[in-house]
Amino acid sequence: MSKEEVINVVMELYSARKEAKEFLDYFANPDEKKELEKFKKIVLKEFDDDISRKPKCRFSVCRKALSDFKKLSPSADTIAEAMVFYVERVCEFSFYAGDLWEQYYDSTASNFESMLKFLVKNNLLEHMMPRVVQIMAWCWPCGYGFHDEIGDTFCELVPPQYHGKVGEADALGKAQYKKMHPYLKM
């Protein structure tokens, strides 16, 4: 293709496809923070605490949003922030909403595993550890063996010096749950 043909194709693509327009705008003027905030809004909309709005809890929507975000090639720190935020939101939603369905926990466990692998691979685990512990704490009261699966996954993927964080997360989760439900005997 000639230079003029390429320019025409890009101009047509820019006009025809919203995704292409967003990518080209980002390519011309990268703003990771703005794109991260867009991603977070999508996650918050899907896993909204306001039950009166009937949250949709569509993992597929969040998975696509994360994939689209990663395609922009932001820094590893920014990708880690997006991945941790996503798992935080899903686990916190479950903690406050009560026991949910099995597929919810399966999807969450898969996202937790992907997040941990990314953090370990990019040497970001230590930096994100307080948030990872809180994520595991929010899993404490969940059903379908989810709490155990999260702890096992954590111990499989992180160096042994961090394995004690599972007990720390359990104690934190139990304390938070008891504070939320002071009438329960534990």
Side-chain angles (χ1 to χ4, degrees):
M1 275 201 260
S2 70
K3 183 178 179 179
E4 288 177 12
E5 290 173 324
V6 170
I7 290 171
N8 287 336
V9 167
V10 170
M11 294 301 291
E12 285 180 34
L13 188 60
Y14 188 85
S15 299
R17 304 284 303 171
K18 178 185 172 192
E19 297 87 1
K21 180 184 183 314
E22 289 175 357
F23 178 79
L24 291 170
D25 286 343
Y26 178 82
F27 184 77
N29 187 19
D31 186 349
E32 288 184 359
K33 289 183 181 186
K34 179 181 172 188
E35 295 302 318
L36 178 62
E37 289 309 311
K38 276 190 202 175
F39 169 75
K40 287 181 175 183
K41 284 181 184 177
I42 292 168
V43 172
L44 287 170
K45 184 177 178 184
E46 290 300 315
F47 297 93
D48 190 347
D49 275 342
D50 187 349
I51 301 300
S52 68
R53 288 187 222 161
K54 296 185 181 175
K56 296 179 179 153
C57 301
R58 295 178 298 185
F59 285 91
S60 61
V61 169
C62 295
R63 194 170 32 253
K64 181 182 181 325
L66 183 59
S67 175
D68 291 347
F69 178 71
K70 287 178 178 180
K71 287 176 186 172
L72 298 175
S73 299
S75 67
D77 286 346
T78 306
I79 293 172
E81 174 61 31
M83 294 177 85
V84 170
F85 177 82
Y86 177 26
V87 178
E88 277 176 329
R89 185 67 216 122
V90 170
C91 290
E92 182 181 19
F93 179 84
S94 174
F95 184 81
Y96 290 106
D99 216 9
L100 300 169
W101 56 98
E102 187 173 5
Q103 188 175 1
Y104 184 99
Y105 295 123
D106 291 344
S107 294
T108 304
S110 176
N111 285 304
F112 181 77
E113 181 177 348
S114 296
M115 176 200 74
L116 277 181
K117 285 179 179 178
F118 186 86
L119 294 177
V120 170
K121 178 182 175 189
N122 291 281
N123 297 315
L124 296 167
L125 182 63
E126 183 69 36
H127 173 67
M128 294 291 192
M129 187 57 73
R131 293 171 70 185
V132 173
V133 169
Q134 180 59 66
I135 287 168
M136 291 190 296
W138 281 321
C139 298
W140 183 81
C142 298
Y144 297 103
F146 178 62
H147 163 258
D148 293 332
E149 182 178 1
I150 291 297
D152 292 347
T153 299
F154 181 83
C155 289
E156 287 172 18
L157 297 176
V158 304
Q161 69 261 27
Y162 296 111
H163 291 183
K165 296 290 184 182
V166 173
E168 181 182 322
D170 287 352
L172 178 61
K174 187 175 182 178
Q176 289 171 336
Y177 193 74
K178 187 172 183 163
K179 185 175 182 182
M180 195 167 75
H181 302 287
Y183 53 87
L184 294 177
K185 296 189 179 197
M186 299 179 163

